[in-house]
Amino acid sequence: MKPNILLITVDQMRWDCLSVLGHTVVETPNLDRLARSGVLFRSAYSATPSCIPARAAIFTGMGQRSHGRVGYKDCVPWTYEHTLPRELAQAGYHTQCVGKMHVYPARNLCGFHNVVLHDGYLHHNRDKYKTTTDAHFDQCDDYLQWLRQTAGAGFDITDHGLDCNASTVARPWHLPESMHPTNWTVTQSIDFMRRRDPSKPFFLWTSFVRPHSPLDPPQAYFDMYKDMEMPDPPIGDWVNVASAERGGNDPTAIFGKFPKRRLNRARAAYYALITHIDDQIGRLLNALQEYGVYNNTVILFTSDHGELIGDHHYFRKGLPYEGSAKIPFIISDPSGKLGLRAGSEVEQVIELRDIMPTVLSTASVTIPQTVEGVSLLPLCRGESVNWREYIHGEHTYGSLSNHYATDGQEKYLWFSQTGEEQLFDLGTDPQELTNLSHDPAWAPRLAFWRQRVIAELEGREEGYVEDGRLVTGRTPLACLSHV
């Protein structure tokens, strides 16, 4: 039988929040175990680092120019012909998603046989007076229905009082741990093991909403971190500190210098959510063993994007800095049948669009011509391959709308509304503390990387390039016109 495939995604987890990478605070023993027995990627990126476009890359295997989602925009229908679950289902896999999909309409299966849905708090689904055709959250979210059946009809996911985008406020989960969305996601994933068709291989996408805010870890996990000394976040020499000091009041702000006590509490809760997820992943892996499928299951773990959580006084995602755009990425094959180099690391730059061709190659399924990503299996085997030289990323973000290009060693940033450029030597400055764009010694590299972005944006409908030069101030789009 073909191998089973388990894709585990988390929402808004930074690339460096793995203890196997030497993080000084967070503990992730189960993910560390996967990394040590599998392959760890050190230069994995989300090309368009927010929830919807990142998932478009996972679902379609396409880059953002092709799937068309170059920023965050709700209520745009998902009509892609070729999706990862659809291709696997057509090839004989039993396919299931548990947790976050963040597609539209919310109950769009996108090729899955079944979805047990919890997208978290989405504003357009909670609007009681909305005019969109999608169902209200009360009707479309499976976790909320389960919560009210279990805890009581009057319960809601907002009862703890935390906003879904409040990255600087935190409190412990207010109900028993078993009722937390993280536990529920694993409980439902394990139940799929019971209900699946045993005559078919399975594709299970276990998709966690956390550590995306609200920062609400169970008390036991919050207690692990709340009194720990937190290292100061990196603040680059390019940061406008005076402006940050003026912005430190709104708990949902994306930029601001917040009181150290509040910031440390938020970081403690964020790390606690990650360790909570790690323990529940351990529970899921144990269930695979109990059902006798662990040794024939290929496991991929990643995040849709990161979380800045105070880096350079920024929060959340959408920006091209490492804390936002760089993601953890692990592939594990317990059976060893794929010939992966267990315990190895890969330095080549990869991105989320590479998931679909990797999974389809693992399942010996034909890769549609629409797919622009590349299977990661040759890299995992240590084969000599002619790999991409860099990736191009972007995100519509108002005055901070941006484009970036990186090979994992250097990174170029262009902010399309202001024309500001930044250049970082990630090899010696992984925290992006020093902007080299004004250093004469780095002028040739600045021009080199600028030209790469020009080549990526040539012909784009926004008009970012004219006469071979980047044009500042063009109106950015969240979705290209062909979506």
Side-chain angles (χ1 to χ4, degrees):
M1 182 181 288
K2 291 183 176 182
N4 306 308
I5 298 164
L6 171 61
L7 173 60
I8 304 173
T9 59
V10 291
D11 192 343
Q12 208 151 309
M13 179 174 166
R14 296 168 55 98
W15 73 277
D16 57 356
C17 281
L18 295 170
S19 42
V20 72
L21 290 176
H23 196 281
T24 59
V25 179
V26 74
E27 297 181 24
T28 54
N30 290 293
L31 291 173
D32 295 351
R33 176 163 59 105
L34 277 182
R36 292 192 176 103
S37 63
V39 180
L40 175 66
F41 290 79
R42 284 188 165 270
S43 297
Y45 287 87
S46 179
T48 313
S50 69
C51 302
I52 294 176
R55 282 169 173 75
I58 296 174
F59 267 105
T60 68
M62 294 191 288
Q64 68 272 15
R65 186 166 183 166
S66 294
H67 65 62
R69 299 170 193 264
V70 295
Y72 183 100
K73 187 176 183 180
D74 282 310
C75 303
V76 178
W78 287 58
T79 58
Y80 301 108
E81 178 182 1
H82 298 288
T83 65
L84 175 56
R86 182 172 291 119
E87 299 303 310
L88 289 172
Q90 291 174 349
Y93 272 74
H94 186 176
T95 61
Q96 166 101 358
C97 179
V98 177
K100 183 163 184 169
M101 290 268 287
H102 211 155
V103 301
Y104 185 81
R107 300 300 317 197
N108 186 344
L109 292 175
C110 290
F112 279 106
H113 286 115
N114 186 51
V115 172
V116 184
L117 185 68
H118 178 51
D119 277 336
Y121 190 105
L122 299 181
H123 292 86
H124 74 92
N125 270 347
R126 294 288 300 214
D127 184 357
K128 292 179 172 58
Y129 302 100
K130 65 190 178 74
T131 58
T132 60
T133 59
D134 201 13
H136 187 267
F137 187 77
D138 288 357
Q139 286 80 50
C140 68
D141 189 272
D142 294 317
Y143 168 73
L144 179 59
Q145 296 296 322
W146 174 89
L147 179 67
R148 289 174 175 169
Q149 293 167 5
T150 305
F155 280 83
D156 200 349
I157 65 169
T158 58
D159 290 347
H160 48 45
L162 299 183
D163 186 89
C164 66
N165 284 321
S167 297
T168 62
V169 293
R171 56 148 293 170
W173 177 246
H174 58 299
L175 295 173
E177 181 188 331
S178 61
M179 296 183 184
H180 195 279
T182 292
N183 293 63
W184 175 87
T185 300
V186 170
T187 298
Q188 295 295 325
S189 295
I190 292 173
D191 195 51
F192 170 72
M193 295 292 107
R194 175 183 65 83
R195 295 183 294 103
R196 70 184 181 89
D197 183 345
S199 68
K200 294 182 176 182
F202 67 79
F203 170 56
L204 172 61
W205 187 350
T206 298
S207 180
F208 294 98
V209 172
R210 303 298 189 274
H212 189 296
S213 52
L215 301 176
D216 60 350
Q219 185 73 56
Y221 292 91
F222 190 55
D223 289 346
M224 291 175 62
Y225 294 102
K226 66 182 177 65
D227 296 322
M228 292 185 66
E229 184 68 25
M230 298 286 171
D232 292 332
I235 308 296
D237 65 2
W238 45 270
V239 176
N240 187 332
V241 176
S243 179
E245 290 175 342
R246 293 192 295 270
N249 295 314
D250 182 357
T252 64
I254 63 169
F255 183 64
K257 184 177 181 180
F258 291 86
K260 183 175 177 63
R261 182 175 66 175
R262 186 198 297 178
L263 178 59
N264 284 351
R265 184 178 177 87
R267 293 166 79 195
Y270 180 73
Y271 298 147
L273 286 170
I274 292 171
T275 298
H276 181 209
I277 290 171
D278 184 86
D279 281 354
Q280 288 298 306
I281 288 174
R283 177 183 165 216
L284 178 57
L285 298 180
N286 187 61
L288 294 178
Q289 294 174 333
E290 291 176 348
Y291 279 94
V293 296
Y294 178 77
N295 287 329
N296 192 39
T297 300
V298 175
I299 304 163
L300 290 83
F301 170 83
T302 192
S303 180
D304 57 351
H305 51 76
E307 158 67 69
L308 285 157
I309 203 156
D311 286 9
H312 316 297
H313 297 311
Y314 282 107
F315 296 86
R316 295 158 58 184
K317 65 274 190 179
L319 292 171
Y321 303 112
E322 295 286 271
S324 166
K326 196 172 182 180
I327 52 176
F329 201 104
I330 300 168
I331 300 178
S332 178
D333 173 27
S335 71
K337 294 178 182 177
L338 295 178
L340 311 188
R341 293 196 305 164
S344 66
E345 297 182 355
V346 172
E347 298 290 343
Q348 283 93 334
V349 65
I350 69 165
E351 57 174 295
L352 290 173
R353 65 178 173 174
D354 298 325
I355 290 176
M356 183 169 174
T358 301
V359 169
L360 294 182
S361 295
T362 297
S364 299
V365 175
T366 300
I367 299 172
Q369 292 184 350
T370 55
V371 171
E372 296 169 327
V374 183
S375 172
L376 301 172
L377 295 185
L379 294 180
C380 293
R381 296 179 181 128
E383 299 174 7
S384 178
V385 294
N386 184 22
W387 197 250
R388 66 172 65 98
E389 295 181 349
Y390 70 98
I391 65 162
H392 162 242
E394 63 184 294
H395 205 283
T396 302
Y397 214 44
S399 63
L400 292 173
S401 294
N402 59 83
H403 293 262
Y404 76 92
T406 184
D407 59 1
Q409 295 300 308
E410 296 176 355
K411 186 196 285 184
Y412 168 82
L413 285 61
W414 176 61
F415 291 87
S416 65
Q417 301 307 288
T418 64
E420 179 184 359
E421 294 178 306
Q422 294 179 340
L423 181 67
F424 299 104
D425 179 6
L426 300 177
T428 61
D429 181 23
Q431 295 184 316
E432 299 168 309
L433 298 175
T434 304
N435 176 18
L436 299 169
S437 65
H438 303 294
D439 186 336
W442 282 82
R445 299 303 297 170
L446 181 70
F448 173 81
W449 282 106
R450 182 191 300 126
Q451 196 58 45
R452 281 183 161 175
V453 169
I454 289 172
E456 294 287 344
L457 297 179
E458 186 74 48
R460 279 274 291 264
E461 62 188 88
E462 301 97 328
Y464 288 133
V465 176
E466 189 174 287
D467 297 328
R469 295 192 301 271
L470 293 173
V471 180
T472 299
R474 298 297 196 201
T475 301
L477 302 174
C479 288
L480 301 180
S481 59
H482 65 79
V483 179

